[in-house]
Amino acid sequence: MLSVLDGRRELGQHASLLGWQMISEPFSKVTKQKPIANCSLSLSDLEAIAKLCIAKNVEAVRIEDNLVRSIGLDEESLRNHLENIIYKQQVLIFINGYAGESIHSSDPDIFRSHLFPDSVKNVAIESSINRKVSTGTDPNNSFRLEFEFAKNFSQVNASPHAAGQPQSYLRVEGTDEAWVVATFQVLETKLLSKNNWRGLLHSAGIYELLLFIVMLPLSIFLIDVVSKAFHEKLNELNIVARIGSLMYGFLAVIVFYRLFFNYTLWVFPSVELINENGASTAHRRFWWKVISGILVSGICLLVYGK
């Protein structure tokens, strides 16, 4: 008797998978993807985004649920398909820390967990992995958000083009184009509402533009000033040492500019997890105090003459 029931169950699951193939294979998927940039997010913002993702995932499951019901499976096969495949699709949140911590959950409350890493490396919110692992099938409609956060200066001290540009992205794909477009638009709008207006600083070519327009002329001017100030000292050197000294000074200014540029990208990251105890925040606070002090002193000097 048990073998007969097992056989029926296997047959039902086979019919369920066959039904899934019947409704999935004829449809091509539409994909919308773009980098996530220029946004500053708090933990409450990430929690709100996760809740929004859960709501959109419920819509995706409902769409596929209705599609499955329309193909005319018998009651047992339909139940097997819904329980063993469709309802396995859920939003999962993955959080990794720089100290090796790794936590995940389907509950947005994870952002308030006592296990939350002190220094977050990345956060991913996606809707397909649980179903893929559980059933070996892909959802008809799914999404993934990936947030990468730079921890320290060394992580943006690479190519000037890539510095400060974490590989964060939003991707939505599915067979239901209306759902894909609507979901992408809702999530994109939510991220745009957290814009930190650092697009120009992190735009492609800004490093080279500032280098040629500002730093090269400034370097030449500084070398000219230094060479005039130390004219007698330089004249005591032979021609090779004199040219070498000037070239060394010129290159030192350019290297300093690159370091300063990367430092600026780190202090003002493109994608940022707002943290009052974060190093970038502490550096911004420090420079704000310095600049404010200089401005106040200058205003007092102009107004009171002392």
Side-chain angles (χ1 to χ4, degrees), residues 34-107:
K34 68 172 293 186
I36 297 174
N38 311 319
C39 63
S40 296
L41 303 165
S42 65
L43 293 181
S44 60
D45 291 330
L46 289 173
E47 184 176 354
I49 291 172
K51 290 179 179 178
L52 182 59
C53 288
I54 290 173
K56 300 307 293 185
N57 184 64
V58 170
E59 292 180 8
V61 171
R62 187 181 299 118
I63 291 170
E64 194 166 354
D65 184 309
N66 293 334
L67 192 58
V68 170
R69 293 178 187 275
S70 69
I71 66 176
L73 292 175
D74 63 81
E75 185 176 344
E76 185 176 358
S77 295
L78 176 63
R79 185 173 61 253
N80 283 330
H81 187 93
L82 294 178
E83 292 178 356
N84 297 323
I85 298 180
I86 304 300
Y87 296 161
K88 295 292 185 180
Q89 180 176 339
Q90 61 177 312
V91 172
L92 290 179
I93 304 162
F94 297 88
I95 301 170
N96 296 308
Y98 276 100
E101 312 97 321
S102 181
I103 58 176
H104 70 275
S105 175
S106 59
D107 190 341

Side-chain angles (χ1 to χ4, degrees), residues 100-170:
E101 312 97 321
S102 181
I103 58 176
H104 70 275
S105 175
S106 59
D107 190 341
D109 286 346
I110 190 174
F111 293 106
R112 289 182 271 124
S113 169
H114 68 281
L115 298 175
F116 196 85
D118 293 329
S119 182
V120 179
K121 181 179 181 181
N122 57 54
V123 173
I125 305 174
E126 67 84 48
S127 64
S128 62
I129 287 181
N130 187 70
R131 176 165 160 178
K132 284 182 180 179
V133 173
S134 301
T135 69
T137 64
D138 289 315
N140 277 11
N141 303 287
S142 61
F143 53 79
R144 182 178 179 87
L145 293 93
E146 184 86 30
F147 300 97
E148 294 285 342
F149 305 108
K151 177 188 178 185
N152 52 44
F153 176 71
S154 64
Q155 290 175 278
V156 295
N157 190 21
S159 167
H161 301 82
Q165 299 278 1
Q167 298 302 309
S168 304
Y169 65 90
L170 162 64

Side-chain angles (χ1 to χ4, degrees), residues 116-257:
F116 196 85
D118 293 329
S119 182
V120 179
K121 181 179 181 181
N122 57 54
V123 173
I125 305 174
E126 67 84 48
S127 64
S128 62
I129 287 181
N130 187 70
R131 176 165 160 178
K132 284 182 180 179
V133 173
S134 301
T135 69
T137 64
D138 289 315
N140 277 11
N141 303 287
S142 61
F143 53 79
R144 182 178 179 87
L145 293 93
E146 184 86 30
F147 300 97
E148 294 285 342
F149 305 108
K151 177 188 178 185
N152 52 44
F153 176 71
S154 64
Q155 290 175 278
V156 295
N157 190 21
S159 167
H161 301 82
Q165 299 278 1
Q167 298 302 309
S168 304
Y169 65 90
L170 162 64
R171 182 177 68 244
V172 182
E173 60 182 3
T175 57
D176 190 302
E177 185 175 0
W179 179 87
V180 171
V181 172
T183 299
F184 187 86
Q185 184 176 8
V186 166
L187 294 176
E188 183 183 35
T189 301
K190 181 66 175 179
L191 293 170
L192 287 174
S193 69
K194 302 301 175 182
N195 196 315
N196 55 27
W197 308 106
R198 298 171 187 169
L200 180 61
L201 178 62
H202 291 271
S203 60
I206 190 65
Y207 172 85
E208 290 84 357
L209 183 65
L210 292 176
L211 177 64
F212 282 96
I213 293 180
V214 178
M215 289 311 301
L216 287 179
L218 181 60
S219 299
I220 295 172
F221 172 76
L222 291 175
I223 293 301
D224 181 62
V225 171
V226 171
S227 64
K228 290 178 179 178
F230 296 93
H231 178 72
E232 295 182 0
K233 293 286 186 181
L234 289 173
N235 284 338
E236 295 176 0
L237 302 175
N238 61 52
I239 186 65
V240 175
R242 190 184 312 163
I243 295 175
S245 298
L246 295 176
M247 288 183 62
Y248 181 86
F250 177 81
L251 293 174
V253 174
I254 300 301
V255 170
F256 174 80
Y257 161 67

